[in-house]
Amino acid sequence: MESKIIKVLLIEDNRTQSILIKAVLAKVNAGGHGQTRFDLAWAERLAAGLELLSAETFDVILLDLSLPDAEGIETLVRVRDAQPDIPIVVLTGRNDEELAVQAMQAGAQDYLVKENFDGQLLGRALRYAIERHRMQAALRSLSLTDELTGLYNRRGFYALAEQQLKMARSRGMEKGLLIFYMDMDGLKQINDTFGHAEGSRALKRIVGVIQQTFRESDIIGRVGGDEFTALAIEASGDCAERILTRLRENLRACNAEGRDPYELSFSVGVARPETYSASSVEEIVAVADAAMYAEKRSRKKNVIMRSGLKTVDLRAGLHEPALLDRTA
């Protein structure tokens, strides 16, 4: 069988680190049984890397965020803007993991901690970055977005979220995922009172609140007329509470603008995929959906998160559906 060549551009100013990575990939090539081989090119400066990118074709980029001629997220942004069709894996020092997560939010596919990976991890990270980037490009090229809101439609959300869940589980990282199910309260009442054009405008304002709350790396979809889902990535620990707090604050800020004769509100449910290791995204979304309806039925200002058999009251304080009389 003819081996597949993956061309990798390493942009890294540390010569010792570059030699180490070259040696690691050479070991992967030697033990790859002819299936996949990595061809590594190296640039010590961002400017030199950008020149190589303009002159040659690469499959993936390994990028250090601390270079002599570029520093921090600016480094990623410049590479991403120059070559948006090539996936980027960030290299970070042990104390730079927070910066690496910010880089993922800005468009990187993954990050690796320097001097803390072996050939198997490096090869897998590069292959997964290419696979995920290709999937995202395929989704963008298909009719998988909602015309009104610009979000993924139902088919697009489930396709991309299922891929993300599969990749997270293969790496033992499903603990870093959260699925949110959000239902806009009172849309029918808005449509009946003010007309469907106003209902569409209200939906767009709700979408603005959702997009402001979640990150660029998260996957958001409109899966029904007034129903939305979001898969939050890198969302371990108390991230559910923090996301719900941001959602509440952004919603309040939107309503405080006073543009509408009604008040926008959500009902929300949350589920962690790690609790349902044998389930698909659709089954996990159903759990979040059930939690959302439990919250809606409770008529209380809280949000329910289901985690296995345990129900947690997060007390997010989202608004009940309401119409306001602004003529008084």
Side-chain angles (χ1 to χ4, degrees):
M1 177 187 296
E2 184 178 350
S3 61
K4 176 183 178 182
I5 303 298
I6 294 178
K7 294 191 65 176
V8 183
L9 174 60
L10 170 64
I11 306 178
E12 163 68 69
D13 67 316
N14 187 310
R15 183 175 293 272
T16 300
Q17 189 68 42
S18 67
I19 293 172
L20 172 63
I21 292 173
K22 184 177 181 179
V24 168
L25 289 179
K27 186 176 180 179
V28 173
N29 289 340
H33 307 293
Q35 295 180 0
T36 301
R37 294 181 61 83
F38 294 95
D39 182 11
L40 183 70
W42 173 44
E44 293 185 85
R45 301 287 191 274
L46 178 60
L50 293 176
E51 286 183 11
L52 278 174
L53 286 168
S54 65
E56 300 181 34
T57 300
F58 292 93
D59 298 299
V60 62
I61 300 166
L62 268 172
L63 178 65
D64 183 9
L65 295 182
S66 297
L67 298 170
D69 54 345
E71 182 72 26
I73 296 300
E74 176 202 356
T75 313
L76 169 66
V77 171
R78 288 175 63 183
V79 175
R80 183 199 65 195
D81 290 348
Q83 295 290 339
D85 294 330
I86 304 178
I88 301 170
V89 175
V90 164
L91 292 171
T92 177
R94 291 181 182 273
N95 297 323
D96 293 333
E97 290 196 50
E98 182 177 351
L99 178 62
V101 172
Q102 293 175 12
M104 289 189 66
Q105 296 172 7
Q109 292 293 339
D110 205 345
Y111 71 91
L112 295 172
V113 178
K114 292 182 179 180
E115 301 179 356
N116 194 29
F117 58 81
D118 54 22
Q120 183 179 8
L121 178 59
L122 177 57
R124 186 171 57 196
L126 294 173
R127 289 192 298 270
Y128 281 0
I130 294 170
E131 179 183 357
R132 183 180 175 193
H133 193 80
R134 184 180 294 123
M135 172 64 73
Q136 290 172 334
L139 286 173
R140 286 192 295 268
S141 67
L142 297 174
S143 298
L144 297 179
T145 57
D146 176 61
E147 184 176 356
L148 176 66
T149 64
L151 301 177
Y152 289 116
N153 60 20
R154 184 181 185 88
R155 181 183 174 190
F157 172 81
Y158 280 110
L160 191 55
E162 199 69 58
Q163 180 72 9
Q164 181 64 43
L165 179 60
K166 179 181 177 182
M167 290 172 57
R169 282 180 173 161
S170 70
R171 304 174 69 179
M173 296 178 64
E174 62 265 46
K175 289 184 178 180
L177 301 179
L178 281 170
I179 288 182
F180 291 76
Y181 196 98
M182 296 161 281
D183 182 82
M184 178 181 174
D185 296 321
L187 179 60
K188 183 179 185 302
Q189 191 175 4
I190 293 173
N191 284 332
D192 291 346
T193 306
F194 303 104
H196 287 273
E198 183 61 33
S200 295
R201 195 178 74 83
L203 277 169
K204 290 179 181 179
R205 284 173 62 75
I206 281 286
V207 168
V209 171
I210 295 173
Q211 290 176 318
Q212 186 180 5
T213 299
F214 290 92
R215 301 170 300 184
E216 202 170 312
S217 58
D218 298 331
I219 303 167
I220 308 171
R222 183 187 180 195
V223 295
D226 55 1
E227 298 169 330
F228 304 89
T229 50
L231 175 63
I233 302 169
E234 297 289 334
S236 57
D238 64 347
C239 198
E241 291 88 341
R242 288 188 279 111
I243 290 173
L244 288 166
T245 297
R246 286 203 306 269
L247 187 63
R248 179 184 66 238
E249 291 173 350
N250 292 336
L251 184 61
R252 284 179 175 171
C254 179
N255 283 321
E257 293 176 1
R259 298 183 185 180
D260 310 308
Y262 48 81
E263 193 168 80
L264 297 173
S265 64
F266 296 104
S267 297
V268 185
V270 190
R272 280 196 179 275
E274 64 172 305
T275 312
Y276 310 94
S277 58
S279 302
S280 65
V281 167
E282 189 169 3
E283 291 170 320
I284 300 167
V285 166
V287 175
D289 185 13
M292 181 275 295
Y293 274 107
E295 186 271 328
K296 188 182 285 286
R297 287 194 301 269
S298 73
R299 308 304 295 172
K300 296 177 181 178
K301 293 182 178 180
N302 61 16
V303 174
I304 301 299
M305 182 175 76
R306 291 282 177 86
S307 178
L309 299 178
K310 186 178 181 182
T311 299
V312 183
D313 180 0
L314 298 179
R315 299 193 181 280
L318 299 183
H319 294 286
E320 292 289 328
L323 289 176
L324 303 182
D325 183 5
R326 298 194 185 276
T327 62

